[in-house]
Amino acid sequence: MSAQQRRWGADALAAIDLGSNSFRLEIARLRQGRYESLAYWKEPIRLGAGLDAQNHLTEAAMQRAFDCLRRFGAELQGFAPERVRAVATQTLREARNRDAFLARAHGALGHPVEVIAGREEARLIYAGVSRLQPSSATQLVIDIGGRSTELILGHGAQPLRAESFAIGSVGLTLRCFADGKLTAEAFRQAQIVAAAELEEALTLFARGRCEPAWSEALGASGTVGALAQIAESAGLSKDGSINAAGLRWCMEACIRAGHVDQLQLPGLKDDRKKVVAGGLAILYTLLSLFDIERLKPAKGALRQGLVFDLAERLKLHEQQDSEDLREPTVLALQQRFGVDRAQAGRVRSLAQRLHRELDRKADIEHQLELGWAAALHEIGQAVSHHDHHRHSHYLITHLDAPGFSQDQLRRMGHLALGQRGGLRKLEAELRDESLLWQLLALRLALVKCHAREAIQEDRMAVRREGRRVTVRMVPGWAATHPQALYLLGEEAKAWSKLGLIDLQIQA
């Protein structure tokens, strides 16, 4: 056990939130269902302010991020990879150079960084709030981040509806308060911009219009926390709760100051000063639009949700008879797109068996994602049978799928795209050897299952020696399956053209 592991304990988990305003690292553990925070770091990186006019992250912004991640990485020395999860949110969803950023971020942190979709971010936020602040009531949870705002309607521990909107404290501040001036007109304009983005959610979340009706509203994360601290420090609230009158007082104080450099609100920390105006305008708009009389600060947030989610995944991986939380998502998608589940099941079972032979060192996530890609490989047929693999690729890549990161969906989309046809379209992606063996397993399974009827899996076996792969069929099989033998021959030719593996067929 390393020194860091001894420091935190073998059961410690680490969650890293690469937000648009701040980066956060929390080390925690769960004991008998109780959350124990062991350490917490927060650095105001303002990554969201580093997007240029073409939505590229500037080198200066990226360097601030990498410096912070190196410091976080030093705290994570000795942590097993499966006990760490790092996620990025709206800024990386928008950044056109995100792949380059993610590769360098992995090197700086020592662990991969996932980009999660807005609804997945909302789901994880609610997981953190509902577990740390349990309630039997129906709740509206609001999280105003640097470049996005998440709204979640939930009952108890169950999120019922979750949406993400591309407006946040950093983005709105840059748009309406870029010169630092805090004027009444700037606040009016900021509220108009916020309302234009958020009013489409009225029927989903507003009091008296949504179903089921919520009875209490909670605010998570930095913006609400900062404004709650101001309200309490100014004597506007005894418990940090926020109302419209308190927010109007804050706006009037900002306008009197005239400029962000002159702003002196009680309880406002320096790292929040530059973006408080945008967050204030968004929250005031939300309270007005959604008829929120009182917003209470929540105890949990995204990083705690990540810890709970990570713990559940580890538990499920240890209990082989348990179902991964992403399985219901896959099943719902199969039903939604009318997938032939019997065929998908045959392909999935065989592909995973072949994959275990081809890549004996594959981690559990790669084994699982191959199964999910196989389960969803034909969803494109809901659009058109012709070139359905291309439609499957598009749909999987652009899904809002609870439990999945955008990066994992993109990888599954690559598998769906590569399930048939030439391989040149994925030549760059197949430099990742783990993806190569996943795709080969899927394509071989599809050949075996081509007739769309029950199969005997043990009639196909693979043996790998380096990049040389031999596919063996039982004696006599070729004579009764000439079409499948032909397809195997075509498969060998396709891989030969790419030059990445030497595929030999023995039948």
Side-chain angles (χ1 to χ4, degrees):
M1 183 182 290
S2 70
Q4 290 288 57
Q5 285 176 305
R6 287 193 296 272
R7 180 184 179 189
W8 306 120
D11 57 351
L13 300 167
I16 302 99
D17 168 11
L18 281 68
S20 298
N21 191 49
S22 301
F23 284 11
R24 295 174 170 87
L25 163 62
E26 181 143 357
I27 297 175
R29 64 181 168 220
L30 299 177
R31 289 191 172 173
Q32 298 179 335
R34 188 166 64 90
Y35 187 96
E36 297 180 24
S37 179
L38 303 175
Y40 172 57
W41 294 267
K42 172 189 170 186
E43 296 197 21
I45 303 303
R46 296 192 70 215
L47 189 66
L51 285 174
D52 65 19
Q54 288 74 43
N55 270 7
H56 284 86
L57 282 167
T58 64
E59 184 60 33
M62 290 195 292
Q63 198 56 58
R64 290 196 304 273
F66 301 145
D67 290 344
C68 172
L69 291 176
R70 275 188 282 271
R71 289 188 287 274
F72 285 180
E75 301 294 339
L76 298 174
Q77 290 293 324
F79 267 78
E82 65 271 15
R83 305 194 74 82
V84 177
R85 192 172 179 207
V87 302
T89 54
Q90 184 65 28
T91 295
L92 268 296
R93 292 196 283 266
E94 295 181 37
R96 297 180 67 181
N97 57 339
R98 81 175 193 180
D99 288 346
F101 174 91
L102 292 173
R104 294 170 67 185
H106 187 171
L109 181 65
H111 296 273
V113 176
E114 307 170 54
V115 180
I116 54 175
R119 286 181 178 172
E120 176 65 1
E121 182 181 355
R123 183 189 74 84
L124 290 167
I125 289 166
Y126 192 79
V129 172
S130 63
R131 295 284 290 273
L132 289 185
Q133 198 164 333
S135 171
S136 59
T138 299
Q139 301 174 311
L140 175 66
V141 175
I142 294 170
D143 186 304
I144 302 172
R147 293 190 74 92
S148 69
T149 294
E150 281 67 49
L151 302 178
I152 311 100
L153 183 70
H155 183 80
Q158 182 63 39
L160 305 175
R161 188 177 303 131
E163 293 292 344
S164 180
F165 300 88
I167 188 165
S169 60
V170 174
L172 190 59
T173 297
L174 290 171
R175 182 166 181 173
C176 298
F177 306 95
D179 56 3
K181 293 179 180 179
L182 304 174
T183 66
E185 178 56 33
F187 273 104
R188 277 193 293 271
Q189 184 61 31
Q191 289 170 56
I192 291 171
V193 173
E197 181 69 33
L198 295 165
E199 67 180 356
E200 66 180 272
L202 283 172
T203 57
L204 301 176
F205 300 104
R207 183 192 292 273
R209 298 181 69 172
C210 66
E211 183 62 38
W214 51 266
S215 57
E216 59 183 7
L218 302 175
S221 294
T223 294
V224 171
L227 293 171
Q229 183 62 47
I230 292 169
E232 198 165 354
S233 299
L236 302 171
S237 170
K238 293 182 178 180
D239 59 359
S241 60
I242 298 168
N243 57 32
L247 295 180
R248 283 194 295 271
W249 181 91
C250 290
M251 283 190 282
E252 289 165 3
C254 289
I255 293 167
R256 286 195 300 272
H259 195 280
V260 68
D261 292 340
Q262 306 302 317
L263 188 58
Q264 296 294 330
L265 286 171
L268 179 62
K269 297 178 180 178
D270 288 341
D271 66 318
R272 278 279 158 189
K273 189 178 291 188
K274 291 185 180 296
V275 298
V276 70
L280 181 53
I282 293 171
L283 190 55
Y284 185 76
T285 302
L286 281 165
L287 266 60
S288 302
L289 280 179
F290 293 84
D291 193 23
I292 301 170
E293 296 175 357
R294 180 170 175 259
L295 184 76
K296 297 187 294 184
K299 293 180 180 178
L302 173 60
R303 64 185 185 277
Q304 288 90 0
L306 280 170
V307 170
F308 285 117
D309 199 62
L310 189 55
E312 288 170 355
R313 288 190 184 185
L314 287 171
K315 182 179 178 181
L316 290 165
H317 292 169
E318 292 166 0
Q319 299 173 356
Q320 296 299 320
D321 58 341
S322 297
E323 180 180 67
D324 190 286
L325 296 177
R326 289 163 287 186
E327 284 292 340
T329 297
V330 172
L331 176 59
L333 290 169
Q334 286 182 317
Q335 294 170 336
R336 175 180 170 188
F337 289 99
V339 167
D340 180 345
R341 291 179 58 200
Q343 172 68 358
R346 288 189 288 268
V347 173
R348 178 177 186 169
S349 177
L350 180 55
Q352 288 184 310
R353 183 175 71 78
L354 296 174
H355 181 245
R356 287 192 292 271
E357 296 300 314
L358 291 167
D359 192 359
R360 294 180 180 274
K361 295 182 179 179
D363 63 41
I364 186 65
E365 281 296 300
H366 286 163
Q367 295 169 25
L368 290 169
E369 73 189 14
L370 171 61
W372 293 320
L376 299 175
H377 77 281
E378 289 189 331
I379 66 170
Q381 291 200 6
V383 178
S384 171
H385 183 79
H386 177 68
D387 276 352
H388 72 79
H389 60 302
R390 299 185 185 278
H391 303 307
S392 294
H393 167 250
Y394 181 87
L395 290 170
I396 293 172
T397 302
H398 292 85
L399 285 169
D400 264 326
F404 291 92
S405 70
Q406 288 189 331
D407 304 276
Q408 192 163 49
L409 289 171
R410 184 164 59 166
R411 187 180 176 96
M412 290 160 57
H414 288 328
L415 291 171
L417 179 63
Q419 67 181 278
R420 62 191 299 184
L423 293 161
R424 292 289 182 192
K425 56 183 176 284
L426 288 174
E427 187 170 6
E429 289 77 9
L430 290 174
R431 293 171 187 163
D432 177 350
E433 190 167 336
S434 63
L435 183 69
L436 184 151
W437 301 125
Q438 286 176 315
L439 184 57
L440 176 59
L442 177 61
R443 287 173 66 106
L444 290 174
L446 284 166
V447 170
K448 184 72 171 70
C449 299
H450 187 257
R452 307 184 75 87
E453 59 187 16
I455 64 167
Q456 294 176 285
E457 285 191 12
D458 58 3
R459 297 200 169 190
M460 174 181 275
V462 294
R463 186 181 68 187
R464 175 188 154 204
E465 297 175 354
R467 289 298 183 97
R468 182 183 176 91
V469 177
T470 302
V471 179
R472 290 178 173 164
M473 309 304 295
V474 296
W477 176 87
T480 55
H481 297 82
Q483 299 94 331
L485 180 63
Y486 166 76
L487 292 174
L488 283 175
E490 292 298 296
E491 189 67 18
K493 291 177 184 177
W495 287 101
S496 177
K497 289 178 182 177
L498 198 63
L500 288 176
I501 62 173
D502 177 13
L503 183 61
Q504 299 292 319
I505 310 298
Q506 292 184 4

